[in-house]
Amino acid sequence: MNAIEEDFAELQEVIQQGPIYPNGTPEEIRAHLASHYDFRGQKDLAETVADVERMLRTWQVQVTHPRYFGLFNPSVTLASVVADTLVAMYNPQLANWRTSPAGNEIERHTLGWLAAKFGLPAQSRATFTSGGTEANLSAVTVALTNAFPGYGEDGLRSLAAEPTIYLTEEAHHGFNKIAHLTGLGRKALRMVAVDGDLKMDMADLERRVAEDRRSGFAPFMVVGTAGTTATGAIDPLKELGRFCQRAGLWFHADAAWGGAAILSPELRHHLAGIESADSITCDAHKWFSVSMGCGMFFCRHPDRVAEAFRSQVSYMPDKESRPVFDPYTTSMQWSRRFIGLKLFLSLAQNGESGQAAMIEHQTRMGHVLRESLIASGWRIVNRTPLPLVCFTRDGLDVRRFLASLREEQIVWMSEVPIQGRPAVRACITSYRTTESDVLSVVEEMNRLAAQHAAH
Ligand SMILES: *Cc1c(COP(=O)(O)O)cnc(C)c1O
């Protein structure tokens, strides 16, 4: 524990001082590997670890750098690093309850607490997943099982009408793969129009569902995103809940990133309506700042989950009559890592208010970024209460500008097309990002923009 804590602190220092962007070609990395690792002889473990650390420091975007304003990859908590190490050492198998009662009950306890925060009923079923994509895939699978009794045994081909899912272009693109994997086909995704803030347009949703029903399709599910990847938009969750109830559709809330806001008294009202969801995706490896991968799938219909993931095999330990459940019969995975320990340990150490303070700090840093950009003549082109800022200025060549940020190792940001126009996307995703980080980044960007304008 002490050794990990020391290493953790030391690495933070090193990363903070070092470059954010990697520097290396595939040829260079492959040549290094080919010349050092033919796996014929034996190598000293400590030496190899040192070499791996060198590789990770050189050939990786340092997502835990306080000036990584990127995708939702967080700076991780010490507790989550300790948890990952413990899990590897004890190697618990969580597929069934009897093999790891401790691990299963710790996960159940943690998920139950969070489910209640989301306002889901006590009998809801929840499991840890590899990430948001597995949770979203679980949601589609359970929703199909719920809507089409023949789906599980006879497959989609037995259905009289083609099932369709409603979401927006701003929803996570993983749903394309999920439509492919489940056999729905990518064309089963119906892209609903968005309003000026890139939120789902309810009138267009109603129109499309009605039209598809008239044309003989079988609408069964709507995906509302709470914090879109590109711009942090939050779909109208309350209206979605009401509409889905009325229309007999499964309401899935994809809160992979934004879901953590449920812990914050300042932010949670932005998620109002999520309690009416049939299922929820939330990633602890995003805004809960635990190491990858730690997704979660919540569902208010335990019987539907049990139906979708049912399995009976002779070689698994017997079920007992006690009120326990075996994750291999309530989730996609079979062999199951003790994923939930990193969220449990982080919550135990920080407490609810400490965990909320981390995201509230990042939200404040997002405001500082937004305000200081506006004050220096930039234009903000997205609207969200979350710390995700998309911006541009007249005449800016976004691609060239981002290349300069990279060359000078100022900050990691990315390009995002907003209503057809390129913009710069910055997300505060590290609890270690300070106000002086933000202000110095804006200062540097102002200098670069002036240079670009002069040429
Ligand atoms: C990140 C994200 C996903 C995908 O989750 P993974 O953990 O990367 O699999 C899905 N939806 C949203 C809104 C996300 O932000």
Side-chain angles (χ1 to χ4, degrees), residues 72 131-133 136 172 225 227 229 254 256-257 283 285-286:
F72 306 129
T133 303
N136 285 339
H172 197 266
T225 308
T229 315
D254 182 359
W257 174 53
D283 266 348
H285 68 218
K286 286 181 176 166

Side-chain angles (χ1 to χ4, degrees), residues 132-440:
T133 303
E134 184 195 329
N136 285 339
L137 173 55
S138 304
V140 173
T141 306
V142 175
L144 277 170
T145 305
N146 174 66
F148 307 103
Y151 166 65
E153 290 298 320
D154 303 318
L156 285 175
R157 67 187 177 284
S158 69
L159 305 184
E162 285 178 41
T164 47
I165 300 181
Y166 300 78
L167 69 180
T168 74
E169 289 281 4
E170 302 297 313
H172 197 266
H173 284 249
F175 281 101
N176 292 289
K177 292 202 279 184
I178 290 166
H180 190 138
L181 281 163
T182 48
L184 284 164
R186 294 177 186 237
K187 286 184 188 159
L189 299 183
R190 298 290 197 260
M191 295 302 163
V192 179
V194 291
D195 66 12
D197 292 340
L198 303 178
K199 299 174 179 178
M200 189 180 284
D201 176 337
M202 291 303 299
D204 192 55
L205 171 64
E206 296 198 28
R207 201 161 43 237
R208 275 166 191 265
V209 168
E211 209 173 282
D212 277 341
R213 283 192 164 139
R214 272 197 305 277
S215 315
F217 290 96
F220 74 101
M221 181 181 200
V222 181
V223 177
T225 308
T228 60
T229 315
T231 72
I234 300 173
D235 284 332
L237 304 176
K238 257 192 201 151
E239 289 85 340
L240 279 171
R242 271 189 237 123
F243 170 72
C244 287
Q245 180 89 38
R246 211 168 58 234
L249 298 170
W250 186 278
F251 171 29
H252 177 64
D254 182 359
W257 174 53
I262 207 71
L263 297 191
S264 161
E266 291 171 20
L267 295 170
R268 70 166 66 103
H269 67 278
H270 297 297
L271 300 183
I274 201 164
E275 70 284 351
S276 63
D278 292 292
S279 54
I280 299 174
T281 286
C282 182
D283 266 348
H285 68 218
K286 286 181 176 166
W287 219 14
F288 282 89
S289 296
V290 311
S291 45
M292 283 181 245
C294 192
M296 293 172 278
F297 172 63
F298 298 88
C299 182
R300 73 192 309 128
H301 311 288
D303 51 329
R304 303 291 85 191
V305 174
E307 169 68 14
F309 298 115
R310 75 201 136 88
S311 187
Q312 264 167 345
V313 281
S314 52
Y315 59 80
M316 293 298 269
D318 279 349
K319 282 218 189 63
E320 295 182 48
S321 51
R322 279 185 286 155
V324 299
F325 68 89
D326 293 329
Y328 83 98
T329 63
T330 56
S331 70
M332 292 198 9
Q333 297 184 21
W334 202 282
S335 283
R336 169 176 283 278
R337 182 181 167 86
F338 185 8
I339 298 169
L341 184 61
K342 34 196 171 187
L343 180 57
F344 172 85
L345 269 194
S346 290
L347 286 172
Q349 186 186 19
N350 295 322
E352 181 179 358
S353 63
Q355 199 77 36
M358 287 164 72
I359 66 172
E360 287 162 2
H361 167 75
Q362 291 168 68
T363 305
R364 253 191 321 277
M365 293 305 103
H367 288 317
V368 171
L369 176 61
R370 213 173 274 123
E371 294 306 313
S372 60
L373 282 169
I374 293 171
S376 343
W378 297 82
R379 200 166 64 247
I380 309 298
V381 293
N382 72 321
R383 192 132 58 152
T384 175
L386 306 175
L388 199 170
V389 188
C390 303
F391 57 97
T392 186
R393 66 193 301 148
D394 290 338
L396 187 79
D397 179 336
V398 169
R399 204 150 293 172
R400 247 188 59 205
F401 178 70
L402 288 171
S404 300
L405 291 182
R406 178 193 175 106
E407 268 155 37
E408 299 196 25
Q409 298 279 352
I410 291 168
V411 65
W412 199 101
M413 288 180 184
S414 55
E415 180 181 341
V416 62
I418 294 189
Q419 279 154 348
R421 292 233 173 108
V424 182
R425 176 192 180 282
C427 179
I428 308 295
T429 172
S430 169
Y431 61 86
R432 287 202 295 268
T433 300
T434 62
E435 185 158 341
S436 77
D437 285 318
V438 173
L439 296 177
S440 73

